[in-house]
Amino acid sequence: MRDALTKPQGWRFLGLDADALIKYFFGGNAIVAIVVLALITVFLFKEGFGFIEQNRRNIELYRKAGLEYVDILRKRMDAHATLGRQINDDRLHLFKDRLKRGETAEQINAALAPLDEFSTAYSDAAIDLRGLVSDLGEAASGIKQRALVAADAAGQRAALIHAGKSTEAEQVQVEQINFSQERQAITGTAPMFDEVAATLRTTLTSLVTKSSPGFDLLPEKDRAELKAETLAFLADLDKAKGELAAWNGDKPVSTWEGLSTFLTNPQWLTASFWQDWYGVMPLLAGSLFVGAIALIIAVPLGVSAAIYVNQIAGVRESSFIKPAIEFIAAFPSVVLGFFGVAVLGETIRVVSNMPALAWVPFFPISERLNATTAGILLGLMAVPTIFSLAEDAINNVPVHFKEASFALGASKLQTLIKITVPAALSGIIAAVLLGFGRVIGETMVVLLCAGNRIQIPDFTEGFGAIFQPVHTMTGIIAQEMGEVPQGSIHYRALFMVAIFLFLLALVINYGAQKIVKKFKISIG
């Protein structure tokens, strides 16, 4: 009796039966996956966090060398240049309007000659400011370059001493730079700036407040805007005097400033003769912008397809539609990217040049590779993810919900809109979030199709902003990682972008999982 109840002994290996071997095999695989993930995470954060101190030293040198001081003036010079471009844009609009009325180019240019003289006078008003910025910029750049050479020499000497080559180390000359003394040639020009600012104020005020043949050619609205913006520029020019007086080149740079500059700076500028800046903002804006366009396309398609397949379509339709949508995921992203470059982007540009669409404010489009081109393709890639997860969510709605609705006399459409979809809403939202995570993490399509312009989109253009080129976090990593020296500040800045992307994806997926958990509890 005891032998009959005894569990039969199967084959054994190293003293373990089959169940134990299966347990340890799959458990071991799970442990390996966790260890690999931990190692990747540790390496990612280790390399990335080294950027903060390097960036702090980078900003410190920028300040000590006087580049920050010169940038106070450069900012005003660039603001004046922007106003000058605005005048040129107004002239271009006048030219196009007259051309539509049948005037020839020669006639228009002759009529707009006074405006050209006004534009030249407006631009030349800042010639002394541009000269001052150029001279100070050369002086500050020279100080920075000497400091970098001295730092390299100090590093070389330290390496030789560490290698026990003291004699050779003594032969390495390291220049000792007195930054305070060197900056005097820059900061001592404050009185000169006061004179330049006074002359600029007099000239610009006269140009925008007095009637002249060139100024009067501008439409009244454009004249008012130019006058207001010029007066605002002159007021800001007065603020520059206070900023220059309060500037302290010896002010220490904190570790937090090394991090906050990365988080808030709107520039990603590398290999610059002036100053390298590593700001994640334009990359984050590009990723979110393209992702938003993709979701606008993918969510209606994916969710509506899921509802139709699960609730409306017949068996034959479902057996065709569902595999067809899921087959989209089989397309390699590089193939879709090539399609975007060769076909989609060019098609959008050709359509925008059609005479019938000339009434659209932002048409024609000059860039075939832009946020919309990348967003459409990413939306297509996200459809299978959203479709499959949304369809599962709808399928998991308890049958008795629908039966109760039908019992109360509701139609199939009313049940679908008021019962089924609301009950599956948490799962649908989770599907959208996971689809968004899929979009954010995509590399090849955005690298090929987004245009790779590192700039926050100009949303003042309204709806036309969707056709501007952008760059993304994944795209910048793929584009630049293979070209930067290991251990350099640029190298570590890319790791910081990777950390930011990792945390963003983690938050998205965590939110999706929380919603899925809530969805399961609600229908449990």
Side-chain angles (χ1 to χ4, degrees):
M1 184 69 177
R2 179 178 297 177
D3 293 339
L5 296 176
T6 302
K7 183 178 180 181
Q9 296 293 325
W11 63 272
R12 301 176 68 86
F13 180 75
L14 297 178
L16 301 175
D17 59 17
D19 291 341
L21 287 172
I22 292 173
K23 174 184 175 181
Y24 287 123
F25 174 76
F26 288 105
N29 286 340
I31 292 174
V32 169
I34 293 173
V35 170
V36 171
L37 179 61
L39 290 175
I40 292 174
T41 304
V42 170
F43 174 73
L44 183 66
F45 279 86
K46 176 180 177 295
E47 292 293 331
F49 281 178
F51 164 82
I52 299 175
E53 176 58 23
Q54 286 183 306
N55 194 43
R56 188 198 68 78
R57 294 197 299 266
N58 185 45
I59 299 173
E60 185 177 55
L61 179 57
Y62 165 74
R63 180 170 294 167
K64 286 184 174 180
L67 296 173
E68 187 179 47
Y69 183 93
V70 181
D71 268 343
I72 296 174
L73 305 180
R74 185 187 294 272
K75 176 182 175 183
R76 275 67 186 189
M77 182 188 73
D78 292 341
H80 176 269
T82 300
L83 293 175
R85 288 193 294 271
Q86 179 179 322
I87 298 173
N88 293 332
D89 290 341
D90 293 338
R91 185 196 187 280
L92 180 61
H93 293 154
L94 289 173
F95 185 92
K96 290 181 177 179
D97 289 341
R98 290 182 175 231
L99 201 63
K100 290 179 180 178
R101 292 199 295 264
E103 297 183 39
T104 64
E106 292 77 9
Q107 291 173 332
I108 299 172
N109 287 329
L112 297 181
L115 179 57
D116 295 336
E117 294 177 3
F118 173 83
S119 176
T120 301
Y122 195 97
S123 176
D124 290 346
I127 192 169
D128 292 337
L129 177 60
R130 292 195 292 270
L132 179 62
V133 171
S134 177
D135 294 340
L136 296 184
E138 289 182 5
S141 296
I143 297 173
K144 177 184 177 181
Q145 187 60 37
R146 287 166 52 201
L148 291 174
V149 172
D152 289 342
Q156 183 181 359
R157 174 183 286 183
L160 291 173
I161 293 174
H162 182 72
K165 301 179 181 179
S166 301
T167 304
E168 296 181 19
E170 293 176 357
Q171 297 176 357
V172 178
Q173 300 296 321
V174 179
E175 182 183 6
Q176 300 299 321
I177 299 177
N178 187 330
F179 286 102
S180 298
Q181 183 178 351
E182 296 287 346
R183 286 196 309 266
Q184 289 180 1
I186 299 173
T187 57
T189 60
M192 186 182 302
F193 172 71
D194 292 342
E195 296 178 5
V196 169
T199 303
L200 182 59
R201 167 179 288 279
T202 301
T203 304
L204 292 184
T205 302
S206 176
L207 285 172
V208 299
T209 57
K210 295 181 180 179
S211 178
S212 67
F215 187 52
D216 292 342
L217 281 174
L218 292 173
E220 183 178 353
K221 179 182 177 182
D222 293 339
R223 290 200 306 270
E225 289 181 357
L226 180 61
K227 180 180 178 180
E229 292 176 2
T230 300
L231 295 178
F233 163 74
L234 294 175
D236 186 58
L237 199 64
D238 290 337
K239 292 181 182 178
K241 299 178 183 179
E243 292 178 20
L244 294 175
W247 182 79
N248 179 11
D250 296 320
K251 180 181 177 182
V253 179
S254 65
T255 301
W256 167 247
E257 193 171 351
L259 175 61
S260 62
T261 302
F262 171 79
L263 297 175
T264 60
N265 199 311
Q267 297 182 80
W268 180 278
L269 186 61
T270 62
S272 170
F273 78 96
W274 183 254
Q275 176 68 14
D276 291 345
W277 294 110
Y278 303 93
V280 75
M281 285 302 296
L283 306 175
L284 176 62
S287 294
L288 295 180
F289 194 38
V290 172
I293 295 172
L295 288 186
I296 289 173
I297 296 170
V299 171
L301 293 177
V303 174
S304 60
I307 294 172
Y308 180 79
V309 167
N310 190 271
Q311 297 291 311
I312 301 174
V315 176
R316 295 183 62 182
E317 287 179 290
S318 299
S319 63
F320 172 76
I321 296 175
K322 190 172 182 178
I325 293 177
E326 293 176 345
F327 181 72
I328 297 175
F331 281 95
S333 59
V334 68
V335 174
L336 291 175
F338 178 74
F339 173 79
V341 172
V343 180
L344 181 60
E346 186 62 26
T347 300
I348 293 175
R349 185 169 65 175
V350 169
V351 170
S352 72
N353 281 276
M354 295 175 60
L357 298 176
W359 56 273
V360 180
F362 46 85
F363 278 3
I365 299 167
S366 59
E367 302 281 354
R368 64 172 179 168
L369 305 180
N370 51 58
T372 295
T373 304
I376 291 174
L377 294 175
L378 289 180
L380 182 64
M381 295 176 67
V383 165
T385 300
I386 295 176
F387 167 79
S388 297
L389 296 175
E391 203 265 339
D392 288 341
I394 296 169
N395 194 52
N396 287 331
V397 175
V399 178
H400 62 264
F401 283 18
K402 294 185 288 184
E403 292 176 346
S405 177
F406 292 144
L408 293 173
S411 66
K412 189 172 184 179
L413 180 61
Q414 289 174 324
T415 301
L416 177 64
I417 296 175
K418 295 185 178 182
I419 303 298
T420 306
V421 173
L425 188 59
S426 295
I428 293 173
I429 294 174
V432 172
L433 287 178
L434 291 173
F436 183 58
R438 169 79 171 88
V439 167
I440 288 292
E442 175 55 38
T443 301
M444 190 55 64
V445 167
V446 293
L447 187 61
L448 292 175
C449 301
N452 298 339
R453 178 186 295 172
I454 307 176
Q455 183 178 337
I456 297 176
D458 183 8
F459 295 106
T460 60
E461 293 190 9
F463 194 71
I466 66 174
F467 293 104
Q468 295 176 7
V470 296
H471 217 326
T472 64
M473 293 184 287
T474 53
I476 201 74
I477 294 172
Q479 183 180 34
E480 298 185 355
M481 181 56 78
E483 302 175 359
V484 296
Q486 185 173 357
S488 65
I489 184 173
H490 191 177
Y491 172 85
R492 297 191 188 279
L494 293 174
F495 271 91
M496 282 295 291
V497 175
I499 291 174
F500 200 87
L501 181 62
F502 170 78
L503 294 177
L504 179 62
L506 190 65
V507 169
I508 293 172
N509 283 276
Y510 176 77
Q513 293 299 325
K514 292 291 288 185
I515 293 174
V516 169
K517 184 177 180 180
K518 180 180 178 182
F519 169 72
K520 288 181 178 179
I521 293 175
S522 66
I523 65 175

